[in-house]
mmCIF file of all heavy atoms in Angstrom:
data_model
loop_
_atom_site.group_PDB
_atom_site.id
_atom_site.type_symbol
_atom_site.label_atom_id
_atom_site.label_comp_id
_atom_site.label_asym_id
_atom_site.label_seq_id
_atom_site.Cartn_x
_atom_site.Cartn_y
_atom_site.Cartn_z
ATOM 1 N N THR A 1 4.370 3.319 6.226
ATOM 2 C CA THR A 1 5.556 2.614 6.660
ATOM 3 C C THR A 1 5.576 2.548 8.175
ATOM 4 O O THR A 1 5.355 3.532 8.851
ATOM 5 C CB THR A 1 6.832 3.326 6.192
ATOM 6 O OG1 THR A 1 6.821 3.408 4.776
ATOM 7 C CG2 THR A 1 8.055 2.592 6.657
ATOM 8 N N SER A 2 5.831 1.380 8.694
ATOM 9 C CA SER A 2 5.975 1.206 10.124
ATOM 10 C C SER A 2 7.363 0.668 10.391
ATOM 11 O O SER A 2 7.763 -0.328 9.809
ATOM 12 C CB SER A 2 4.910 0.218 10.646
ATOM 13 O OG SER A 2 5.070 -0.004 12.013
ATOM 14 N N THR A 3 8.150 1.341 11.233
ATOM 15 C CA THR A 3 9.482 0.866 11.563
ATOM 16 C C THR A 3 9.552 0.588 13.046
ATOM 17 O O THR A 3 8.912 1.236 13.854
ATOM 18 C CB THR A 3 10.561 1.903 11.191
ATOM 19 O OG1 THR A 3 10.298 3.099 11.907
ATOM 20 C CG2 THR A 3 10.570 2.162 9.704
ATOM 21 N N SER A 4 10.326 -0.420 13.406
ATOM 22 C CA SER A 4 10.383 -0.817 14.802
ATOM 23 C C SER A 4 11.754 -1.365 15.139
ATOM 24 O O SER A 4 12.384 -2.028 14.343
ATOM 25 C CB SER A 4 9.316 -1.890 15.067
ATOM 26 O OG SER A 4 9.413 -2.355 16.383
ATOM 27 N N SER A 5 12.201 -1.110 16.336
ATOM 28 C CA SER A 5 13.438 -1.687 16.842
ATOM 29 C C SER A 5 13.198 -2.124 18.280
ATOM 30 O O SER A 5 13.546 -1.428 19.225
ATOM 31 C CB SER A 5 14.571 -0.664 16.760
ATOM 32 O OG SER A 5 15.762 -1.237 17.241
ATOM 33 N N GLY A 6 12.533 -3.247 18.430
ATOM 34 C CA GLY A 6 12.303 -3.796 19.749
ATOM 35 C C GLY A 6 10.995 -3.398 20.396
ATOM 36 O O GLY A 6 10.590 -3.970 21.376
ATOM 37 N N SER A 7 10.284 -2.421 19.868
ATOM 38 C CA SER A 7 9.005 -2.032 20.434
ATOM 39 C C SER A 7 7.902 -2.283 19.409
ATOM 40 O O SER A 7 8.153 -2.416 18.231
ATOM 41 C CB SER A 7 9.018 -0.560 20.847
ATOM 42 O OG SER A 7 9.256 0.253 19.733
ATOM 43 N N THR A 8 6.668 -2.355 19.881
ATOM 44 C CA THR A 8 5.544 -2.621 18.995
ATOM 45 C C THR A 8 5.127 -1.351 18.267
ATOM 46 O O THR A 8 4.939 -0.312 18.884
ATOM 47 C CB THR A 8 4.355 -3.171 19.799
ATOM 48 O OG1 THR A 8 4.764 -4.379 20.436
ATOM 49 C CG2 THR A 8 3.174 -3.457 18.904
ATOM 50 N N ARG A 9 4.966 -1.455 16.964
ATOM 51 C CA ARG A 9 4.523 -0.334 16.128
ATOM 52 C C ARG A 9 3.395 -0.828 15.235
ATOM 53 O O ARG A 9 3.370 -1.969 14.821
ATOM 54 C CB ARG A 9 5.652 0.174 15.224
ATOM 55 C CG ARG A 9 6.902 0.529 15.950
ATOM 56 C CD ARG A 9 6.866 1.959 16.381
ATOM 57 N NE ARG A 9 8.162 2.261 16.963
ATOM 58 C CZ ARG A 9 8.393 3.308 17.668
ATOM 59 N NH1 ARG A 9 7.446 4.186 17.888
ATOM 60 N NH2 ARG A 9 9.572 3.524 18.168
ATOM 61 N N SER A 10 2.487 0.062 14.918
ATOM 62 C CA SER A 10 1.422 -0.267 13.981
ATOM 63 C C SER A 10 1.267 0.874 12.996
ATOM 64 O O SER A 10 1.364 2.038 13.359
ATOM 65 C CB SER A 10 0.089 -0.480 14.711
ATOM 66 O OG SER A 10 0.165 -1.616 15.527
ATOM 67 N N GLY A 11 1.011 0.518 11.736
ATOM 68 C CA GLY A 11 0.779 1.520 10.714
ATOM 69 C C GLY A 11 -0.325 1.065 9.788
ATOM 70 O O GLY A 11 -0.455 -0.125 9.502
ATOM 71 N N GLN A 12 -1.138 2.019 9.346
ATOM 72 C CA GLN A 12 -2.213 1.702 8.409
ATOM 73 C C GLN A 12 -2.338 2.831 7.404
ATOM 74 O O GLN A 12 -2.370 4.003 7.783
ATOM 75 C CB GLN A 12 -3.535 1.516 9.134
ATOM 76 C CG GLN A 12 -4.686 1.181 8.210
ATOM 77 C CD GLN A 12 -5.961 0.833 8.952
ATOM 78 O OE1 GLN A 12 -5.940 0.592 10.142
ATOM 79 N NE2 GLN A 12 -7.051 0.795 8.243
ATOM 80 N N GLY A 13 -2.399 2.481 6.124
ATOM 81 C CA GLY A 13 -2.583 3.467 5.075
ATOM 82 C C GLY A 13 -3.705 3.046 4.151
ATOM 83 O O GLY A 13 -3.774 1.890 3.738
ATOM 84 N N VAL A 14 -4.611 3.970 3.857
ATOM 85 C CA VAL A 14 -5.742 3.686 2.976
ATOM 86 C C VAL A 14 -5.820 4.791 1.923
ATOM 87 O O VAL A 14 -5.814 5.970 2.259
ATOM 88 C CB VAL A 14 -7.069 3.627 3.769
ATOM 89 C CG1 VAL A 14 -8.249 3.424 2.832
ATOM 90 C CG2 VAL A 14 -7.015 2.529 4.826
ATOM 91 N N LEU A 15 -5.904 4.390 0.661
ATOM 92 C CA LEU A 15 -6.083 5.321 -0.450
ATOM 93 C C LEU A 15 -7.262 4.819 -1.264
ATOM 94 O O LEU A 15 -7.252 3.682 -1.749
ATOM 95 C CB LEU A 15 -4.830 5.381 -1.323
ATOM 96 C CG LEU A 15 -4.945 6.167 -2.622
ATOM 97 C CD1 LEU A 15 -5.230 7.640 -2.353
ATOM 98 C CD2 LEU A 15 -3.696 6.011 -3.457
ATOM 99 N N GLU A 16 -8.300 5.647 -1.376
ATOM 100 C CA GLU A 16 -9.474 5.298 -2.172
ATOM 101 C C GLU A 16 -9.805 6.469 -3.085
ATOM 102 O O GLU A 16 -9.814 7.612 -2.649
ATOM 103 C CB GLU A 16 -10.689 5.035 -1.279
ATOM 104 C CG GLU A 16 -10.526 3.877 -0.331
ATOM 105 C CD GLU A 16 -11.733 3.677 0.563
ATOM 106 O OE1 GLU A 16 -12.608 4.566 0.611
ATOM 107 O OE2 GLU A 16 -11.799 2.637 1.216
ATOM 108 N N PHE A 17 -10.083 6.173 -4.362
ATOM 109 C CA PHE A 17 -10.565 7.212 -5.261
ATOM 110 C C PHE A 17 -11.393 6.570 -6.367
ATOM 111 O O PHE A 17 -11.186 5.419 -6.719
ATOM 112 C CB PHE A 17 -9.405 8.060 -5.817
ATOM 113 C CG PHE A 17 -8.462 7.342 -6.734
ATOM 114 C CD1 PHE A 17 -8.528 7.552 -8.100
ATOM 115 C CD2 PHE A 17 -7.488 6.496 -6.233
ATOM 116 C CE1 PHE A 17 -7.642 6.911 -8.948
ATOM 117 C CE2 PHE A 17 -6.599 5.851 -7.072
ATOM 118 C CZ PHE A 17 -6.680 6.055 -8.434
ATOM 119 N N ASP A 18 -12.377 7.313 -6.860
ATOM 120 C CA ASP A 18 -13.251 6.763 -7.892
ATOM 121 C C ASP A 18 -13.380 7.679 -9.111
ATOM 122 O O ASP A 18 -14.223 7.444 -9.974
ATOM 123 C CB ASP A 18 -14.628 6.435 -7.331
ATOM 124 C CG ASP A 18 -15.348 7.651 -6.780
ATOM 125 O OD1 ASP A 18 -14.822 8.775 -6.914
ATOM 126 O OD2 ASP A 18 -16.421 7.484 -6.214
ATOM 127 N N ASN A 19 -12.539 8.690 -9.175
ATOM 128 C CA ASN A 19 -12.596 9.614 -10.300
ATOM 129 C C ASN A 19 -11.221 10.228 -10.500
ATOM 130 O O ASN A 19 -10.561 10.592 -9.543
ATOM 131 C CB ASN A 19 -13.636 10.711 -10.039
ATOM 132 C CG ASN A 19 -14.019 11.450 -11.292
ATOM 133 O OD1 ASN A 19 -13.723 11.020 -12.387
ATOM 134 N ND2 ASN A 19 -14.660 12.588 -11.121
ATOM 135 N N GLY A 20 -10.769 10.319 -11.740
ATOM 136 C CA GLY A 20 -9.493 10.954 -12.020
ATOM 137 C C GLY A 20 -8.349 9.963 -12.126
ATOM 138 O O GLY A 20 -8.542 8.752 -12.112
ATOM 139 N N THR A 21 -7.150 10.516 -12.212
ATOM 140 C CA THR A 21 -5.943 9.713 -12.402
ATOM 141 C C THR A 21 -4.926 10.029 -11.322
ATOM 142 O O THR A 21 -4.652 11.196 -11.042
ATOM 143 C CB THR A 21 -5.315 9.999 -13.788
ATOM 144 O OG1 THR A 21 -6.276 9.672 -14.803
ATOM 145 C CG2 THR A 21 -4.051 9.198 -14.004
ATOM 146 N N LEU A 22 -4.381 8.987 -10.719
ATOM 147 C CA LEU A 22 -3.268 9.121 -9.779
ATOM 148 C C LEU A 22 -2.043 8.574 -10.498
ATOM 149 O O LEU A 22 -2.027 7.412 -10.913
ATOM 150 C CB LEU A 22 -3.528 8.336 -8.496
ATOM 151 C CG LEU A 22 -2.380 8.324 -7.487
ATOM 152 C CD1 LEU A 22 -2.139 9.730 -6.957
ATOM 153 C CD2 LEU A 22 -2.669 7.378 -6.359
ATOM 154 N N ASP A 23 -1.030 9.422 -10.696
ATOM 155 C CA ASP A 23 0.183 9.058 -11.421
ATOM 156 C C ASP A 23 1.335 9.037 -10.425
ATOM 157 O O ASP A 23 1.705 10.070 -9.867
ATOM 158 C CB ASP A 23 0.437 10.087 -12.530
ATOM 159 C CG ASP A 23 1.565 9.702 -13.458
ATOM 160 O OD1 ASP A 23 2.286 8.734 -13.171
ATOM 161 O OD2 ASP A 23 1.723 10.388 -14.483
ATOM 162 N N ALA A 24 1.877 7.856 -10.163
ATOM 163 C CA ALA A 24 2.957 7.702 -9.182
ATOM 164 C C ALA A 24 4.099 6.904 -9.790
ATOM 165 O O ALA A 24 3.875 5.945 -10.534
ATOM 166 C CB ALA A 24 2.441 6.987 -7.940
ATOM 167 N N ASN A 25 5.326 7.273 -9.489
ATOM 168 C CA ASN A 25 6.481 6.515 -9.953
ATOM 169 C C ASN A 25 6.589 5.181 -9.222
ATOM 170 O O ASN A 25 6.853 4.151 -9.819
ATOM 171 C CB ASN A 25 7.770 7.317 -9.768
ATOM 172 C CG ASN A 25 8.960 6.601 -10.375
ATOM 173 O OD1 ASN A 25 8.912 6.199 -11.527
ATOM 174 N ND2 ASN A 25 10.007 6.415 -9.599
ATOM 175 N N THR A 26 6.347 5.196 -7.899
ATOM 176 C CA THR A 26 6.459 4.002 -7.065
ATOM 177 C C THR A 26 5.324 3.999 -6.046
ATOM 178 O O THR A 26 4.992 5.040 -5.490
ATOM 179 C CB THR A 26 7.798 3.996 -6.291
ATOM 180 O OG1 THR A 26 8.874 4.101 -7.225
ATOM 181 C CG2 THR A 26 7.971 2.745 -5.466
ATOM 182 N N VAL A 27 4.749 2.825 -5.794
ATOM 183 C CA VAL A 27 3.723 2.676 -4.762
ATOM 184 C C VAL A 27 4.201 1.619 -3.771
ATOM 185 O O VAL A 27 4.482 0.486 -4.155
ATOM 186 C CB VAL A 27 2.362 2.252 -5.365
ATOM 187 C CG1 VAL A 27 1.349 2.011 -4.272
ATOM 188 C CG2 VAL A 27 1.853 3.310 -6.338
ATOM 189 N N LEU A 28 4.322 2.007 -2.495
ATOM 190 C CA LEU A 28 4.710 1.090 -1.425
ATOM 191 C C LEU A 28 3.578 1.016 -0.409
ATOM 192 O O LEU A 28 3.219 2.028 0.180
ATOM 193 C CB LEU A 28 5.978 1.574 -0.709
ATOM 194 C CG LEU A 28 7.225 1.762 -1.548
ATOM 195 C CD1 LEU A 28 8.336 2.396 -0.716
ATOM 196 C CD2 LEU A 28 7.689 0.441 -2.121
ATOM 197 N N MET A 29 3.050 -0.153 -0.196
ATOM 198 C CA MET A 29 1.978 -0.349 0.780
ATOM 199 C C MET A 29 2.456 -1.361 1.813
ATOM 200 O O MET A 29 3.234 -2.268 1.504
ATOM 201 C CB MET A 29 0.712 -0.877 0.095
ATOM 202 C CG MET A 29 0.160 0.033 -0.974
ATOM 203 S SD MET A 29 -0.381 1.636 -0.387
ATOM 204 C CE MET A 29 -1.758 1.178 0.625
ATOM 205 N N ALA A 30 1.983 -1.241 3.040
ATOM 206 C CA ALA A 30 2.301 -2.185 4.122
ATOM 207 C C ALA A 30 3.803 -2.453 4.195
ATOM 208 O O ALA A 30 4.273 -3.577 4.117
ATOM 209 C CB ALA A 30 1.510 -3.484 3.972
ATOM 210 N N ASN A 31 4.574 -1.396 4.365
ATOM 211 C CA ASN A 31 6.032 -1.461 4.433
ATOM 212 C C ASN A 31 6.439 -1.532 5.902
ATOM 213 O O ASN A 31 6.401 -0.532 6.606
ATOM 214 C CB ASN A 31 6.621 -0.232 3.744
ATOM 215 C CG ASN A 31 8.108 -0.287 3.619
ATOM 216 O OD1 ASN A 31 8.716 -1.328 3.809
ATOM 217 N ND2 ASN A 31 8.706 0.832 3.298
ATOM 218 N N LEU A 32 6.804 -2.714 6.374
ATOM 219 C CA LEU A 32 7.095 -2.951 7.788
ATOM 220 C C LEU A 32 8.547 -3.384 7.939
ATOM 221 O O LEU A 32 8.953 -4.415 7.420
ATOM 222 C CB LEU A 32 6.151 -4.034 8.335
ATOM 223 C CG LEU A 32 6.302 -4.465 9.781
ATOM 224 C CD1 LEU A 32 6.062 -3.297 10.720
ATOM 225 C CD2 LEU A 32 5.335 -5.593 10.090
ATOM 226 N N SER A 33 9.336 -2.567 8.641
ATOM 227 C CA SER A 33 10.728 -2.943 8.866
ATOM 228 C C SER A 33 11.026 -2.874 10.358
ATOM 229 O O SER A 33 10.347 -2.201 11.115
ATOM 230 C CB SER A 33 11.666 -2.013 8.084
ATOM 231 O OG SER A 33 11.535 -0.689 8.534
ATOM 232 N N GLY A 34 12.011 -3.604 10.763
ATOM 233 C CA GLY A 34 12.375 -3.665 12.179
ATOM 234 C C GLY A 34 12.429 -5.107 12.642
ATOM 235 O O GLY A 34 12.387 -6.028 11.843
ATOM 236 N N ASN A 35 12.495 -5.298 13.961
ATOM 237 C CA ASN A 35 12.647 -6.660 14.467
ATOM 238 C C ASN A 35 11.605 -7.056 15.506
ATOM 239 O O ASN A 35 11.762 -8.036 16.203
ATOM 240 C CB ASN A 35 14.051 -6.856 15.035
ATOM 241 C CG ASN A 35 14.341 -5.886 16.171
ATOM 242 O OD1 ASN A 35 13.459 -5.181 16.652
ATOM 243 N ND2 ASN A 35 15.580 -5.852 16.597
ATOM 244 N N SER A 36 10.515 -6.324 15.624
ATOM 245 C CA SER A 36 9.477 -6.656 16.591
ATOM 246 C C SER A 36 8.434 -7.559 15.947
ATOM 247 O O SER A 36 7.772 -7.181 14.987
ATOM 248 C CB SER A 36 8.793 -5.395 17.117
ATOM 249 O OG SER A 36 7.734 -5.756 17.982
ATOM 250 N N SER A 37 8.270 -8.765 16.492
ATOM 251 C CA SER A 37 7.316 -9.714 15.921
ATOM 252 C C SER A 37 5.867 -9.320 16.185
ATOM 253 O O SER A 37 4.957 -9.871 15.590
ATOM 254 C CB SER A 37 7.572 -11.118 16.476
ATOM 255 O OG SER A 37 7.379 -11.125 17.882
ATOM 256 N N SER A 38 5.630 -8.340 17.051
ATOM 257 C CA SER A 38 4.257 -7.933 17.335
ATOM 258 C C SER A 38 3.844 -6.658 16.582
ATOM 259 O O SER A 38 2.744 -6.151 16.775
ATOM 260 C CB SER A 38 4.058 -7.733 18.839
ATOM 261 O OG SER A 38 4.961 -6.771 19.326
ATOM 262 N N SER A 39 4.692 -6.152 15.701
ATOM 263 C CA SER A 39 4.358 -4.975 14.902
ATOM 264 C C SER A 39 3.449 -5.362 13.739
ATOM 265 O O SER A 39 3.477 -6.497 13.267
ATOM 266 C CB SER A 39 5.621 -4.324 14.348
ATOM 267 O OG SER A 39 6.387 -3.780 15.398
ATOM 268 N N THR A 40 2.632 -4.404 13.281
ATOM 269 C CA THR A 40 1.732 -4.668 12.163
ATOM 270 C C THR A 40 1.726 -3.504 11.175
ATOM 271 O O THR A 40 1.964 -2.358 11.556
ATOM 272 C CB THR A 40 0.274 -4.876 12.641
ATOM 273 O OG1 THR A 40 -0.168 -3.701 13.320
ATOM 274 C CG2 THR A 40 0.161 -6.059 13.575
ATOM 275 N N ALA A 41 1.457 -3.825 9.926
ATOM 276 C CA ALA A 41 1.282 -2.808 8.886
ATOM 277 C C ALA A 41 0.184 -3.277 7.952
ATOM 278 O O ALA A 41 0.122 -4.447 7.585
ATOM 279 C CB ALA A 41 2.574 -2.596 8.106
#
Side-chain angles (χ1 to χ4, degrees):
T1 301
S2 178
T3 60
S4 176
S5 181
S7 61
T8 300
R9 306 271 185 194
S10 294
Q12 180 173 346
V14 176
L15 172 63
E16 298 178 348
F17 67 104
D18 61 5
N19 196 14
T21 300
L22 176 65
D23 188 351
N25 186 51
T26 304
V27 176
L28 302 173
M29 300 297 294
N31 187 14
L32 178 61
S33 63
N35 59 9
S36 176
S37 62
S38 58
S39 293
T40 60

